[in-house]
């Protein structure tokens, strides 16, 4: 039987940012003929990280951005080398491939990256702005804040899929939309739930322990989201919150996990950002649009963040 749903690839979506990035890089070359430099730090032997690094390099270079991968056998060398890159005027952007230590030391390392060079948007200043729905770094609103690149990529995907409604005012364009996010990590799931709720959506945030609801309250009366506990995780509660969900977003880091297709409302939109396919083969018997992977859009957002950081640095210099 013909399935009504359609697959939309991340590569199709990331392409629309190529031109914007390329022309911005060209204009930067008038002051810096070599073009901006992005440096990636890798100190693990995770093949997924290596592949992500290769993709970042390929995409950067195709758009006129220099990319340099700095690999370390000894994880303990990372910190001083990041500090050196922080102080190096030739380096425009820095990213680290996690996990490095695989524990809380990774969060420490993350904060070592100078926030003016943090292309992934993981500095706590950026997180705090996101959670508090503050969109600029300065009072005069000339320097836009940076967003963590994976949650931002998902927002851009939702814009591409026409879920964000441009007829509504900026900041309310997800009004009336119900989303379920299966992942509440501090890197992706929680900031994503907050971003979507700040833009007006009702978001059900699911992790192994419980299910929470993120909203700006009745009639969007709050300026930032609030969080309500709905109860411990159970399949029944998940099924219930999915009943009228417009969008289901998964990020479960497990090969065997499959989101139950029968929980998907007919015509809902399904997006998976996990490196494993979290939706079953038959997802398009229910989903109208299905985005199986998001990594390429994340890379586009990384490069876009870097150009914004370069812009912000120039603006600060001219202030
Ligand atoms: P994590 O381990 O920090 O978090 C996993 C989250 O999923 C947790 O909140 C956990 O409670 C939840 N979870 C796990 N099993 C669940 C289940 N059965 N039901 C409900 N919730 C469950 O991982 P992470 O860093 O957030 O990464 C998640 C995945 O996303 C990985 O596969 C990673 O490779 C991928 N990732 C992709 C991108 C991208 O750009 N596409 C970026 C970052 C991470």
């Amino acid at each position: 039987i013909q399935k009504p749903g359609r697959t939309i690839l991340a590569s199709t979506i990331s392409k629309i940012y190529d031109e914007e990035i390329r022309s911005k890089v060209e204009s930067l070359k008038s002051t810096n003929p070599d073009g901006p430099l992005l440096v990636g730090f890798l100190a693990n032997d995770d093949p997924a990280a290596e592949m992500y690094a290769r993709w970042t390099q390929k995409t950067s270079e195709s758009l006129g951005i220099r990319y340099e991968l700095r690999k370390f056998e000894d994880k303990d060398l990372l910190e001083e080398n990041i500090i050196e890159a922080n102080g190096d005027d030739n380096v425009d952007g820095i990213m680290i491939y996690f996990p490095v230590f695989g524990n809380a030391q990774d969060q420490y390392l993350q904060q070592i990256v100078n926030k003016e060079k943090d292309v992934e948007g993981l500095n706590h200043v950026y997180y705090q702005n996101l959670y508090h729905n503050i969109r600029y770094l300065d009072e005069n609103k000339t320097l836009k804040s940076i967003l963590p690149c994976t949650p931002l990529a998902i927002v851009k995907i939702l814009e591409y899929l026409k879920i964000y409604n441009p007829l509504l005012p900026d900041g309310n364009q997800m009004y009336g939309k119900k989303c379920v996010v299966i992942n509440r990590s501090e890197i992706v799931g929680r900031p994503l739930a907050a971003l979507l709720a700040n833009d007006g959506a009702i978001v059900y945030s699911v992790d192994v322990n419980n299910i929470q609801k993120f909203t700006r309250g009745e009639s969007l009366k709050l300026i930032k989201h609030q969080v309500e506990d709905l109860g411990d995780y159970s399949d029944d509660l998940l099924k219930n919150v999915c009943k009228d969900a417009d969008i289901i977003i998964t990020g479960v880091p497990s090969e065997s996990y499959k989101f139950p297709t029968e929980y998907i409302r007919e015509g809902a939109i399904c997006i998976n950002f996990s490196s494993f396919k979290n939706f079953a083969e038959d997802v398009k018997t229910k989903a109208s649009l299905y985005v199986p992977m998001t990594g390429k859009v994340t890379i586009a957002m990384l490069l876009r963040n870097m150009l914004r950081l370069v812009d912000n640095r120039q603006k600060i210099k001219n202030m």
Side-chain angles (χ1 to χ4, degrees):
I1 344 154
Q2 179 97 35
K3 292 173 191 153
R6 248 191 94 186
T7 299
I8 307 286
L9 297 175
S11 54
T12 310
I13 304 172
S14 68
K15 254 194 225 112
I16 64 170
Y17 293 97
D18 285 1
E19 214 22 67
E20 177 191 327
I21 295 169
R22 205 177 276 126
S23 69
K24 182 80 195 130
V25 170
E26 273 318 305
S27 72
L28 286 174
K29 282 187 175 167
S30 60
T31 49
N32 174 10
D34 292 333
L37 172 64
L38 172 60
V39 175
F41 284 93
L42 181 67
N44 65 39
D45 43 24
D46 178 358
E50 186 103 22
M51 194 165 86
Y52 185 39
R54 263 206 307 278
W55 267 111
T56 311
Q57 172 148 26
K58 207 179 142 206
T59 311
S60 299
E61 289 172 354
S62 76
L63 299 172
I65 295 171
R66 287 177 297 148
Y67 177 88
E68 201 179 300
L69 184 63
R70 300 188 182 167
K71 273 201 204 181
F72 295 88
E73 292 280 326
D74 182 355
K75 300 179 195 309
D76 289 312
L77 290 178
L78 223 48
E79 182 171 357
E80 53 185 290
N81 277 280
I82 291 167
I83 292 171
E84 194 221 290
N86 279 341
D88 181 350
D89 281 341
N90 291 314
V91 175
D92 296 290
I94 298 172
M95 62 176 300
I96 308 172
Y97 294 94
F98 290 107
V100 175
F101 296 97
N103 57 32
Q105 197 173 339
D106 283 0
Q107 277 103 67
Y108 167 73
L109 208 55
Q110 210 172 71
Q111 301 306 318
I112 293 291
V113 176
N114 194 326
K115 81 172 198 307
E116 280 72 40
K117 297 189 177 182
D118 175 16
V119 298
E120 290 186 284
L122 303 176
N123 188 276
H124 69 87
V125 170
Y126 301 141
Y127 271 106
Q128 190 173 340
N129 283 346
L130 180 161
Y131 286 128
H132 290 257
N133 205 7
I134 295 170
R135 302 191 179 208
Y136 291 88
L137 292 164
D138 60 331
E139 267 180 36
N140 293 332
K141 300 191 173 176
T142 54
L143 308 171
K144 269 196 160 182
S145 195
I146 300 294
L147 288 167
C149 55
T150 307
L152 175 61
I154 292 171
V155 165
K156 294 298 176 186
I157 290 169
L158 291 171
E159 280 180 8
Y160 181 88
L161 301 178
K162 312 223 183 293
I163 310 302
Y164 269 74
N165 188 338
L167 299 177
L168 290 170
D170 234 14
N172 284 348
Q173 296 186 349
M174 284 293 279
Y175 186 41
K177 296 292 193 295
K178 287 190 177 157
C179 314
V180 175
V181 180
I182 323 273
N183 173 307
R184 202 187 300 128
S185 72
E186 209 48 58
I187 300 286
V188 196
R190 190 168 85 93
L192 174 62
L195 265 179
L196 298 176
N198 285 343
D199 281 335
I202 294 174
V203 184
Y204 297 100
S205 168
V206 181
D207 81 353
V208 280
N209 299 311
N210 67 357
I211 301 186
Q212 298 180 328
K213 186 178 177 183
F214 288 49
T215 68
R216 272 184 31 223
E218 208 178 297
S219 310
L220 303 186
K221 61 173 183 256
L222 305 169
I223 56 167
K224 72 171 188 70
H225 71 282
Q226 59 178 12
V227 180
E228 187 189 330
D229 273 323
L230 298 184
D232 287 348
Y233 177 90
S234 73
D235 290 346
D236 275 348
L237 187 55
L238 177 64
K239 186 175 179 183
N240 210 24
V241 297
C242 289
K243 238 188 240 147
D244 52 0
D246 303 292
I247 300 123
I248 297 174
I249 301 166
T250 56
V252 175
S254 138
E255 179 138 41
S256 59
Y257 178 85
K258 294 291 171 222
F259 184 87
T261 304
E262 68 268 24
Y263 291 5
I264 303 170
R265 168 179 80 69
E266 291 238 0
I269 282 157
C270 293
I271 301 171
N272 170 58
F273 67 80
S274 168
S275 43
F276 301 99
K277 290 224 158 95
N278 286 171
F279 288 102
E281 287 290 332
D282 62 352
V283 54
K284 281 188 286 177
T285 57
K286 294 298 252 335
S288 58
L289 298 174
Y290 167 52
V291 182
M293 285 195 295
T294 61
K296 287 194 179 158
V297 185
T298 302
I299 293 173
M301 292 306 115
L302 201 81
L303 301 180
R304 210 165 162 264
N305 273 351
M306 181 164 87
L307 298 176
R308 175 156 298 163
L309 288 168
V310 171
D311 239 13
N312 282 355
R313 274 207 301 278
Q314 236 152 29
K315 279 184 187 154
I316 292 169
K317 245 192 233 161
N318 299 334
M319 263 176 191

